Amino acid sequence: MICNKSKGLRGEITVPGDKSISHRAVMFGSIAKGTTEVTNFLQGADCLSTIDCFRKMGIEIENTPEKILIHGKGPDGLSAPSSVLDAGNSGTTTRLISGILAAQPFETTLTGDASIQKRPMRRIMEPLSMMGADISSVNGNDCAPLHIKGRPLHGIHYHSKVASAQVKSAILLAGLYADGETKVTEPVISRNHSEIMLRTFGADVHTEGNTAIIKPQPKLTGQVIHVPGDISSAAFFIAAGLCVPNSEILIKNVGINPTRDGILKVALAMGGDITLLNENHDGEWTADLLVRSSSLHGITIEGDIIPTLIDELPIINIMAAAAEGTTIIRDAAELKVKESNRIDVMVEALSAMGAQITGTEDGMIIEGGKPLHGAVIDSHLDHRIAMSFSIAALLAEGETTIKGSESVNISYPSFYETLKTLQQ
Ligand code: S3P
């Protein structure tokens, strides 16, 4: 994909359904009894991988442009797949589904693409093994492919070293099948979509501070779920609206769950002009976001806010490069184990465009305000890197080529069409 400098972005857009919530709707619908209807489902490759895995385990899932219908047969209604389960590029599929597979009366092998086969799985293998699961890494490197033999599970209280919703959710899902209460304590609270949606399906789950607690053997019943727009996808247009001069973008129906809204807090702290309209605080919170061109300044981003914006750090780097002054990002070592090593890749790509950025052990330091120029950017097939640099290109003199831009299909297949509608 070739991208050029923009004269301004103006208009009203919607962003696709939230990726985390879409995955969970399919998973929970598949182990609930009855039909679950999902609207505004994200038709991205990651969520389609989740559908594929549950279809392979005998769940009928109808996928139409208007809605998804999942015909769940209850917690014990999955059947042994006749082939390997393939999670594609999706860490959420791999880790969450492992929690369910750990308790099934059959064996599975779960794999994914080259990126998934490098991502750490010890973080779920350890707690699931403590619950009694038989889960091993086929190549002995603590990565996928994973071989999982379902076993009777028992409840545990797990103290996680990382703030990870994928780890927390895998344990909570296994906890549904355990013989007693399961608790997960995190160092900092991570996104809580599983807790919210499991409760909607009838699970007995609650939180006490940083601890999520689930009681086993609930009756899960099919639900009607409307997925809000993904704030992680909106983030690219928030950044574009703030940084490209002469811009005003209205982004409708965006999820603003407080465990996900760090991008808004950071944008405001950097001096961004963002107004929240039509706020709705039922279930998953939503709002329309009105974003206008702003003069941004650098800030320090660290501590408890990091899990609430972990996926937005690549695009926050672009905002920091456009801002005046220094932005320091700390406590974000998790960036190294995402779809790519996002510290190394951001340093490589932003430097190629003329920005001043230094990678650190747990983040980066960006001296903003240096003029950006076009470059050839390797996205390393990481969807969020491809989209971040498509936005950076709007600020740069000359032409930018994004290699591997097809990776946007993972979370935002219509990204380039939407960007085009805003161009002046
Ligand atoms: C996700 C949790 C986050 C996030 C990922 C989606 C989820 O990962 O980066 O894109 O849906 O639970 P971690 O929980 O591993 O931090």
Side-chain angles (χ1 to χ4, degrees):
M1 176 62 67
I2 294 175
C3 305
N4 285 294
K5 190 166 182 174
S6 169
K7 296 193 189 69
L9 299 169
R10 302 184 86 82
E12 181 181 311
I13 59 169
T14 53
V15 289
D18 187 274
K19 181 156 79 68
S20 294
I21 296 175
S22 297
H23 279 299
R24 286 159 172 80
V26 172
M27 293 190 188
F28 304 171
S30 293
I31 57 169
K33 200 159 187 62
T35 299
T36 289
E37 179 180 318
V38 190
T39 49
N40 203 34
F41 178 81
L42 170 62
Q43 297 282 354
D46 269 12
C47 298
L48 297 177
S49 294
T50 293
I51 289 184
D52 184 55
C53 289
F54 282 94
R55 279 183 175 152
K56 278 193 175 145
M57 291 190 283
I59 302 301
E60 190 200 336
I61 302 177
E62 297 174 64
N63 186 354
T64 68
E66 297 78 44
K67 58 183 162 194
I68 304 268
L69 291 175
I70 304 145
H71 301 285
K73 300 185 216 160
D76 303 318
L78 302 178
S79 47
S82 54
S83 58
V84 168
L85 297 180
D86 186 354
N89 190 244
S90 174
T92 307
T93 310
T94 311
R95 297 200 178 103
L96 268 63
I97 213 174
S98 296
I100 297 174
L101 296 175
Q104 300 306 313
F106 51 77
E107 294 182 25
T108 38
T109 302
L110 173 62
T111 193
D113 68 7
S115 156
I116 275 294
Q117 292 189 33
K118 282 194 233 131
R119 296 182 65 185
M121 293 299 152
R122 166 86 359 224
R123 54 182 60 196
I124 53 146
M125 292 166 68
E126 181 181 286
L128 294 176
S129 302
M130 286 165 69
M131 295 178 81
D134 184 340
I135 173 166
S136 58
S137 157
V138 170
N139 298 326
N141 58 357
D142 289 344
C143 296
L146 300 176
H147 187 69
I148 303 174
K149 283 190 212 162
R151 295 264 288 269
L153 302 181
H154 49 84
I156 56 167
H157 185 175
Y158 190 67
H159 294 265
S160 179
K161 285 196 266 318
V162 281
S164 162
Q166 294 180 353
V167 171
K168 173 175 62 179
S169 303
I171 300 168
L172 293 178
L173 285 167
L176 285 175
Y177 293 89
D179 63 0
E181 188 174 81
T182 296
K183 296 187 184 188
V184 190
T185 301
E186 305 183 89
V188 178
I189 197 149
S190 65
R191 65 190 66 191
N192 63 358
H193 305 302
S194 293
E195 295 89 309
I196 292 174
M197 201 190 291
L198 277 170
R199 218 174 292 133
T200 307
F201 274 87
D204 184 345
V205 53
H206 71 283
T207 49
E208 288 171 13
N210 289 359
T211 303
I213 302 160
I214 194 158
K215 293 221 165 63
Q217 319 297 343
K219 276 203 174 80
L220 300 182
T221 315
Q223 297 296 318
V224 175
I225 306 278
H226 182 73
V227 182
D230 196 329
I231 192 167
S232 299
S233 298
F236 301 106
F237 293 106
I238 294 172
L242 295 176
C243 297
V244 176
N246 184 33
S247 296
E248 180 170 313
I249 307 177
L250 180 64
I251 315 172
K252 304 274 287 178
N253 184 37
V254 181
I256 54 161
N257 178 319
T259 63
R260 292 284 298 284
D261 70 351
I263 175 71
L264 298 180
K265 296 200 173 101
V266 159
L268 293 173
M270 292 177 85
D273 180 351
I274 303 183
T275 311
L276 270 62
L277 304 164
N278 297 320
E279 276 190 63
N280 184 337
H281 287 183
D282 295 337
E284 289 282 357
W285 296 8
T286 58
D288 300 339
L289 309 178
L290 180 62
V291 184
R292 297 194 185 95
S293 306
S294 309
S295 300
L296 301 184
H297 55 81
I299 59 167
T300 296
I301 307 168
E302 62 185 347
D304 290 5
I305 199 171
I306 293 293
T308 73
L309 46 67
I310 190 72
D311 292 340
E312 287 65 76
L313 284 168
I315 189 64
I316 288 172
N317 274 234
I318 309 297
M319 287 162 55
E324 284 303 322
T326 308
T327 294
I328 301 173
I329 296 168
R330 297 197 190 100
D331 304 320
E334 279 292 299
L335 286 176
K336 295 188 212 166
V337 290
K338 292 295 177 186
E339 286 83 330
S340 67
N341 178 333
R342 288 182 176 160
I343 296 183
D344 289 356
V345 172
M346 287 307 299
V347 169
E348 170 190 287
L350 256 183
S351 305
M353 293 185 81
Q356 194 176 322
I357 173 169
T358 313
T360 64
E361 257 315 293
D362 64 350
M364 49 277 276
I365 301 168
I366 298 143
E367 302 291 344
K370 306 275 179 289
L372 299 182
H373 55 74
V376 176
I377 301 297
D378 184 351
S379 70
H380 294 262
L381 292 178
D382 180 333
H383 54 133
R384 300 204 195 280
I385 299 293
M387 289 187 273
S388 295
F389 283 89
S390 303
I391 300 301
L394 306 175
L395 311 172
E397 284 306 330
E399 192 174 274
T400 299
T401 304
I402 315 284
K403 283 165 65 183
S405 60
E406 67 278 10
S407 59
V408 305
N409 285 326
I410 293 293
S411 63
Y412 200 161
S414 57
F415 173 75
Y416 288 109
E417 285 95 89
T418 300
L419 180 56
K420 213 162 151 196
T421 67
L422 293 169
Q423 300 274 15
Q424 291 305 290

